[in-house]
Structures are given as C-alpha cells and as structure tokens.
Amino acid sequence: MFNRYSLTLFAALALVLGACASATEPKPTSVPTAAPAAPSAPAAPTAAPKPAAISFSKDVLPILQSRCVQCHGGARTSAGIDLRTYASLQAAQVVTPGKASASKLVEVVVNGLMPKQGPKLTPAEIKTISDWVDAGAPDN
Ligand code: HEC
C-alpha cells in the first residue's frame, strides 16, 4: 500500500498534472489519454455538470399519469388530489416550488406511501420529481 514516500510523490504528481491540465489544456476534451501514473490521480476539481432541465410535461407528468391518476384524477380524486395537469397539481398544494424536502408530493413517493398500490416509483423516477420541484416546479 502507500507509504509516506509514495503518498508524497502521488500528491506532487497530482499537483503537476493539475497544473499542466489547467495551463496547457484549456479544453476538457483534450486531456491526454496516455498520461502515465495518472489513473488513480484525483480528478481536478471541476464544476459539477449542470443537470439537464427537467420538463414537467415530458418527464414528470408521464410518471404521474402512469402511476397516480387512476386514483388522483377523473373519477377518483383521493384526498382531493388531482394529478392530471400542472394546474390541478398546483391546486392540490402538495408542492413547495424550490423545496422538494418540504413537498408532500415528494415525501409520499420517497417514504413509499404512494403509489398506494403497485410497486414504488424507481429511484430515477423519484429523483426526476424531486429535482423538478427543487428547480422551482416550472410549468415547462
Ligand atoms: C391505488 C390508489 C392510489 C394511487 C395509485 C396513488 N394514490 Fe395517492 N392517495 C390515495 C389515497 C386513498 C389517499 C388518501 C390517504 C390514504 O388513504 O393514504 C392518497 C393520498 C395522497 C396524498 C396526500 C397524502 C397526505 O398525507 O396528505 C398525496 C400527496 C398522494 N396521494 C400522492 C400520490 C402520488 C404522487 C401518486 C403516484 C406516484 C399516488 N398518490 C398514487 C390513493 C392512491
């Protein structure tokens, strides 16, 4: 495993590699592929890539339509909650725009209370809904 010498060498290498990368490689796409001794070097701190904007109509609504509206819309509106449209979702007051942690809509799918029947939403589906709320719950 690492002894003190190799750790120091490793740190120095990382520094040198980092310096080179920022000085001579402005484009992240042109990182040299054949850098020796680099595979375990920590990645240079870069800004986290912006998540693609989540669309209510393309991403969130299809989840609600396939898993929720049989009980929350149309003939049945359990708990008075209609999840068929953006407007009806707003009217249900289960979303606090920008704050998924304070939103009932997110809470019930995270804790597995909803959907009341059938399998829980997948982690990806939950993340889609949660990220959309955190992004301000836009009507997009
Ligand atoms: C099989 C019917 C059914 C399905 C499917 C269903 N619900 Fe519900 N939902 C209910 C009922 C009934 C209630 C009333 C509370 C209870 O009985 O647990 C409720 C209550 C709720 C509440 C209010 C909870 C509270 O504590 O105030 C929310 C929010 C909700 N559902 C969201 C959803 C979402 C989001 C989905 C889809 C992912 C969904 N539900 C799917 C039947 C359903």
Side-chain angles (χ1 to χ4, degrees):
M1 288 311 286
F2 290 122
N3 55 29
R4 263 172 68 195
Y5 172 73
S6 66
L7 275 176
T8 310
L9 183 67
F10 183 72
L13 253 177
L15 275 177
V16 170
L17 286 172
C20 285
S22 55
T24 62
E25 302 288 346
K27 279 181 287 175
T29 49
S30 56
V31 169
T33 50
S40 57
T46 51
K50 265 198 169 178
I54 296 165
S55 158
F56 176 74
S57 57
K58 289 203 196 84
D59 303 316
V60 177
L61 195 56
I63 300 172
L64 304 181
Q65 280 170 339
S66 67
R67 302 302 311 281
C68 315
V69 299
Q70 67 266 39
C71 300
H72 295 285
R76 283 173 74 183
T77 48
S78 295
I81 295 171
D82 183 341
L83 298 175
R84 283 176 300 176
T85 65
Y86 184 83
S88 69
L89 172 58
Q90 294 304 305
Q93 300 191 314
V94 289
V95 167
T96 304
K99 211 161 191 294
S101 59
S103 299
K104 200 90 195 170
L105 181 74
V106 176
E107 183 191 319
V108 296
V109 294
V110 167
N111 67 19
L113 192 69
M114 295 290 148
K116 204 169 173 67
Q117 285 167 10
K120 292 182 181 189
L121 299 191
T122 66
E125 288 171 327
I126 293 173
K127 186 174 180 341
T128 295
I129 296 174
S130 175
D131 286 353
W132 169 74
V133 173
D134 273 336
D139 183 7
N140 58 355

Short mmCIF file of all heavy atoms in Angstrom, two decimals, residues 70-107:
data_model
loop_
_atom_site.label_atom_id
_atom_site.label_comp_id
_atom_site.label_asym_id
_atom_site.label_seq_id
_atom_site.Cartn_x
_atom_site.Cartn_y
_atom_site.Cartn_z
N GLN A 70 -54.90 7.10 -11.72
CA GLN A 70 -56.03 6.17 -11.57
C GLN A 70 -56.73 6.42 -10.24
O GLN A 70 -57.90 6.10 -10.10
CB GLN A 70 -55.59 4.70 -11.73
CG GLN A 70 -54.69 4.15 -10.63
CD GLN A 70 -53.21 4.26 -10.99
OE1 GLN A 70 -52.79 5.25 -11.57
NE2 GLN A 70 -52.44 3.25 -10.64
N CYS A 71 -56.03 7.00 -9.29
CA CYS A 71 -56.64 7.35 -8.00
C CYS A 71 -56.72 8.86 -7.78
O CYS A 71 -57.46 9.33 -6.93
CB CYS A 71 -55.86 6.74 -6.85
SG CYS A 71 -55.77 4.94 -6.89
N HIS A 72 -55.90 9.60 -8.52
CA HIS A 72 -55.85 11.05 -8.32
C HIS A 72 -56.18 11.78 -9.61
O HIS A 72 -55.33 12.43 -10.22
CB HIS A 72 -54.47 11.48 -7.80
CG HIS A 72 -54.13 10.95 -6.45
ND1 HIS A 72 -54.68 11.46 -5.30
CD2 HIS A 72 -53.31 9.95 -6.06
CE1 HIS A 72 -54.19 10.81 -4.25
NE2 HIS A 72 -53.37 9.88 -4.67
N GLY A 73 -57.39 11.65 -10.04
CA GLY A 73 -57.81 12.36 -11.24
C GLY A 73 -59.01 11.67 -11.84
O GLY A 73 -59.16 10.46 -11.71
N GLY A 74 -59.85 12.40 -12.51
CA GLY A 74 -61.01 11.79 -13.13
C GLY A 74 -62.02 11.32 -12.11
O GLY A 74 -62.40 12.07 -11.20
N ALA A 75 -62.44 10.06 -12.26
CA ALA A 75 -63.49 9.52 -11.40
C ALA A 75 -63.09 9.57 -9.92
O ALA A 75 -63.90 9.90 -9.06
CB ALA A 75 -63.81 8.09 -11.82
N ARG A 76 -61.84 9.23 -9.63
CA ARG A 76 -61.38 9.24 -8.24
C ARG A 76 -60.37 10.35 -8.04
O ARG A 76 -59.41 10.49 -8.79
CB ARG A 76 -60.70 7.91 -7.89
CG ARG A 76 -61.66 6.78 -7.66
CD ARG A 76 -60.90 5.48 -7.50
NE ARG A 76 -60.22 5.37 -6.21
CZ ARG A 76 -59.46 4.34 -5.88
NH1 ARG A 76 -59.23 3.37 -6.73
NH2 ARG A 76 -58.89 4.30 -4.70
N THR A 77 -60.59 11.16 -7.02
CA THR A 77 -59.56 12.12 -6.65
C THR A 77 -59.29 11.93 -5.16
O THR A 77 -59.73 12.71 -4.32
CB THR A 77 -59.97 13.59 -6.93
OG1 THR A 77 -61.29 13.80 -6.42
CG2 THR A 77 -59.95 13.90 -8.41
N SER A 78 -58.58 10.85 -4.85
CA SER A 78 -58.29 10.52 -3.47
C SER A 78 -57.62 11.68 -2.76
O SER A 78 -56.75 12.34 -3.31
CB SER A 78 -57.38 9.29 -3.40
OG SER A 78 -58.06 8.17 -3.91
N ALA A 79 -58.06 11.92 -1.55
CA ALA A 79 -57.56 13.02 -0.72
C ALA A 79 -57.80 14.37 -1.40
O ALA A 79 -57.15 15.36 -1.06
CB ALA A 79 -56.08 12.83 -0.38
N GLY A 80 -58.70 14.40 -2.39
CA GLY A 80 -58.99 15.65 -3.08
C GLY A 80 -57.86 16.08 -4.00
O GLY A 80 -57.82 17.23 -4.45
N ILE A 81 -56.96 15.14 -4.29
CA ILE A 81 -55.78 15.49 -5.08
C ILE A 81 -55.93 14.99 -6.51
O ILE A 81 -56.09 13.79 -6.75
CB ILE A 81 -54.50 14.89 -4.43
CG1 ILE A 81 -54.28 15.53 -3.07
CG2 ILE A 81 -53.30 15.08 -5.35
CD1 ILE A 81 -53.18 14.86 -2.25
N ASP A 82 -55.88 15.93 -7.45
CA ASP A 82 -55.98 15.62 -8.88
C ASP A 82 -54.61 15.89 -9.51
O ASP A 82 -54.12 17.02 -9.51
CB ASP A 82 -57.05 16.54 -9.50
CG ASP A 82 -57.28 16.24 -10.98
OD1 ASP A 82 -56.41 15.61 -11.62
OD2 ASP A 82 -58.33 16.66 -11.50
N LEU A 83 -54.00 14.82 -10.02
CA LEU A 83 -52.64 14.96 -10.55
C LEU A 83 -52.61 14.90 -12.07
O LEU A 83 -51.59 14.55 -12.66
CB LEU A 83 -51.74 13.86 -9.95
CG LEU A 83 -51.57 13.90 -8.43
CD1 LEU A 83 -50.77 12.68 -7.94
CD2 LEU A 83 -50.89 15.19 -7.98
N ARG A 84 -53.71 15.27 -12.72
CA ARG A 84 -53.75 15.14 -14.18
C ARG A 84 -53.06 16.26 -14.93
O ARG A 84 -52.59 16.07 -16.04
CB ARG A 84 -55.20 15.05 -14.67
CG ARG A 84 -55.82 13.68 -14.45
CD ARG A 84 -57.26 13.68 -14.86
NE ARG A 84 -58.03 14.65 -14.08
CZ ARG A 84 -59.31 14.91 -14.28
NH1 ARG A 84 -59.96 14.31 -15.25
NH2 ARG A 84 -59.94 15.78 -13.53
N THR A 85 -53.03 17.45 -14.36
CA THR A 85 -52.43 18.58 -15.08
C THR A 85 -51.58 19.42 -14.13
O THR A 85 -51.65 19.27 -12.91
CB THR A 85 -53.51 19.52 -15.65
OG1 THR A 85 -54.21 20.11 -14.55
CG2 THR A 85 -54.50 18.77 -16.54
N TYR A 86 -50.80 20.32 -14.73
CA TYR A 86 -49.99 21.21 -13.91
C TYR A 86 -50.90 22.04 -13.00
O TYR A 86 -50.63 22.18 -11.81
CB TYR A 86 -49.18 22.14 -14.82
CG TYR A 86 -48.24 23.05 -14.05
CD1 TYR A 86 -46.99 22.59 -13.63
CD2 TYR A 86 -48.61 24.36 -13.74
CE1 TYR A 86 -46.14 23.41 -12.92
CE2 TYR A 86 -47.75 25.19 -13.03
CZ TYR A 86 -46.52 24.72 -12.62
OH TYR A 86 -45.67 25.52 -11.92
N ALA A 87 -52.00 22.55 -13.57
CA ALA A 87 -52.89 23.40 -12.80
C ALA A 87 -53.53 22.64 -11.63
O ALA A 87 -53.60 23.15 -10.50
CB ALA A 87 -53.98 23.98 -13.70
N SER A 88 -53.96 21.41 -11.90
CA SER A 88 -54.61 20.66 -10.83
C SER A 88 -53.60 20.24 -9.75
O SER A 88 -53.94 20.16 -8.57
CB SER A 88 -55.35 19.44 -11.39
OG SER A 88 -54.45 18.47 -11.88
N LEU A 89 -52.37 20.01 -10.18
CA LEU A 89 -51.32 19.68 -9.21
C LEU A 89 -51.06 20.89 -8.30
O LEU A 89 -50.92 20.76 -7.08
CB LEU A 89 -50.04 19.28 -9.95
CG LEU A 89 -48.77 19.08 -9.12
CD1 LEU A 89 -48.97 18.01 -8.05
CD2 LEU A 89 -47.61 18.69 -10.03
N GLN A 90 -51.01 22.08 -8.92
CA GLN A 90 -50.82 23.29 -8.13
C GLN A 90 -51.97 23.46 -7.14
O GLN A 90 -51.77 23.78 -5.97
CB GLN A 90 -50.73 24.53 -9.03
CG GLN A 90 -49.50 24.56 -9.93
CD GLN A 90 -48.21 24.43 -9.15
OE1 GLN A 90 -47.95 25.21 -8.24
NE2 GLN A 90 -47.41 23.43 -9.47
N ALA A 91 -53.18 23.21 -7.63
CA ALA A 91 -54.36 23.40 -6.78
C ALA A 91 -54.34 22.45 -5.58
O ALA A 91 -54.89 22.76 -4.52
CB ALA A 91 -55.62 23.19 -7.61
N ALA A 92 -53.70 21.30 -5.75
CA ALA A 92 -53.66 20.32 -4.66
C ALA A 92 -52.73 20.76 -3.53
O ALA A 92 -52.78 20.19 -2.43
CB ALA A 92 -53.21 18.96 -5.21
N GLN A 93 -51.88 21.72 -3.83
CA GLN A 93 -50.96 22.27 -2.81
C GLN A 93 -50.10 21.21 -2.15
O GLN A 93 -49.96 21.16 -0.93
CB GLN A 93 -51.75 23.04 -1.75
CG GLN A 93 -52.54 24.19 -2.36
CD GLN A 93 -53.12 25.13 -1.33
OE1 GLN A 93 -53.70 24.69 -0.33
NE2 GLN A 93 -52.97 26.43 -1.54
N VAL A 94 -49.51 20.36 -2.99
CA VAL A 94 -48.61 19.35 -2.45
C VAL A 94 -47.17 19.61 -2.89
O VAL A 94 -46.29 18.79 -2.66
CB VAL A 94 -49.05 17.92 -2.88
CG1 VAL A 94 -50.32 17.52 -2.16
CG2 VAL A 94 -49.22 17.82 -4.39
N VAL A 95 -46.95 20.77 -3.52
CA VAL A 95 -45.61 21.12 -4.00
C VAL A 95 -45.20 22.48 -3.44
O VAL A 95 -45.98 23.44 -3.50
CB VAL A 95 -45.57 21.17 -5.55
CG1 VAL A 95 -44.30 21.82 -6.04
CG2 VAL A 95 -45.70 19.77 -6.13
N THR A 96 -44.01 22.53 -2.86
CA THR A 96 -43.41 23.80 -2.47
C THR A 96 -42.28 24.06 -3.46
O THR A 96 -41.23 23.44 -3.37
CB THR A 96 -42.83 23.73 -1.04
OG1 THR A 96 -43.87 23.32 -0.15
CG2 THR A 96 -42.27 25.07 -0.61
N PRO A 97 -42.53 24.93 -4.46
CA PRO A 97 -41.52 25.13 -5.52
C PRO A 97 -40.15 25.47 -4.94
O PRO A 97 -40.03 26.31 -4.05
CB PRO A 97 -42.09 26.30 -6.32
CG PRO A 97 -43.57 26.21 -6.11
CD PRO A 97 -43.73 25.74 -4.68
N GLY A 98 -39.12 24.76 -5.44
CA GLY A 98 -37.76 25.01 -4.98
C GLY A 98 -37.38 24.24 -3.74
O GLY A 98 -36.23 24.30 -3.30
N LYS A 99 -38.32 23.52 -3.15
CA LYS A 99 -38.01 22.85 -1.90
C LYS A 99 -38.66 21.45 -1.87
O LYS A 99 -39.73 21.27 -1.28
CB LYS A 99 -38.50 23.70 -0.73
CG LYS A 99 -37.63 23.53 0.51
CD LYS A 99 -37.85 24.70 1.47
CE LYS A 99 -36.82 24.71 2.59
NZ LYS A 99 -36.90 23.59 3.50
N ALA A 100 -37.97 20.50 -2.48
CA ALA A 100 -38.51 19.14 -2.52
C ALA A 100 -38.70 18.58 -1.11
O ALA A 100 -39.66 17.85 -0.84
CB ALA A 100 -37.57 18.23 -3.33
N SER A 101 -37.79 18.94 -0.21
CA SER A 101 -37.85 18.38 1.15
C SER A 101 -39.09 18.83 1.91
O SER A 101 -39.45 18.23 2.92
CB SER A 101 -36.59 18.77 1.92
OG SER A 101 -36.47 20.17 2.00
N ALA A 102 -39.74 19.89 1.42
CA ALA A 102 -40.94 20.38 2.10
C ALA A 102 -42.21 20.08 1.30
O ALA A 102 -43.27 20.62 1.58
CB ALA A 102 -40.83 21.88 2.35
N SER A 103 -42.06 19.23 0.28
CA SER A 103 -43.19 18.97 -0.61
C SER A 103 -43.81 17.61 -0.37
O SER A 103 -43.14 16.59 -0.43
CB SER A 103 -42.72 19.07 -2.07
OG SER A 103 -42.23 20.37 -2.35
N LYS A 104 -45.09 17.62 -0.10
CA LYS A 104 -45.84 16.38 0.15
C LYS A 104 -45.70 15.40 -1.03
O LYS A 104 -45.58 14.20 -0.84
CB LYS A 104 -47.32 16.73 0.36
CG LYS A 104 -48.09 15.67 1.08
CD LYS A 104 -48.02 15.93 2.58
CE LYS A 104 -48.46 14.70 3.36
NZ LYS A 104 -48.17 14.86 4.78
N LEU A 105 -45.75 15.95 -2.24
CA LEU A 105 -45.66 15.12 -3.43
C LEU A 105 -44.39 14.27 -3.41
O LEU A 105 -44.41 13.09 -3.77
CB LEU A 105 -45.67 16.01 -4.68
CG LEU A 105 -45.61 15.27 -6.03
CD1 LEU A 105 -46.93 14.61 -6.35
CD2 LEU A 105 -45.21 16.22 -7.15
N VAL A 106 -43.29 14.87 -2.99
CA VAL A 106 -42.01 14.15 -2.93
C VAL A 106 -41.99 13.23 -1.71
O VAL A 106 -41.59 12.07 -1.80
CB VAL A 106 -40.83 15.15 -2.88
CG1 VAL A 106 -39.51 14.41 -2.73
CG2 VAL A 106 -40.81 16.02 -4.14
N GLU A 107 -42.48 13.74 -0.61
CA GLU A 107 -42.46 12.96 0.64
C GLU A 107 -43.14 11.60 0.47
O GLU A 107 -42.60 10.57 0.87
CB GLU A 107 -43.15 13.78 1.74
CG GLU A 107 -43.13 13.11 3.11
CD GLU A 107 -44.05 13.83 4.09
OE1 GLU A 107 -44.07 15.07 4.08
OE2 GLU A 107 -44.74 13.14 4.85
#
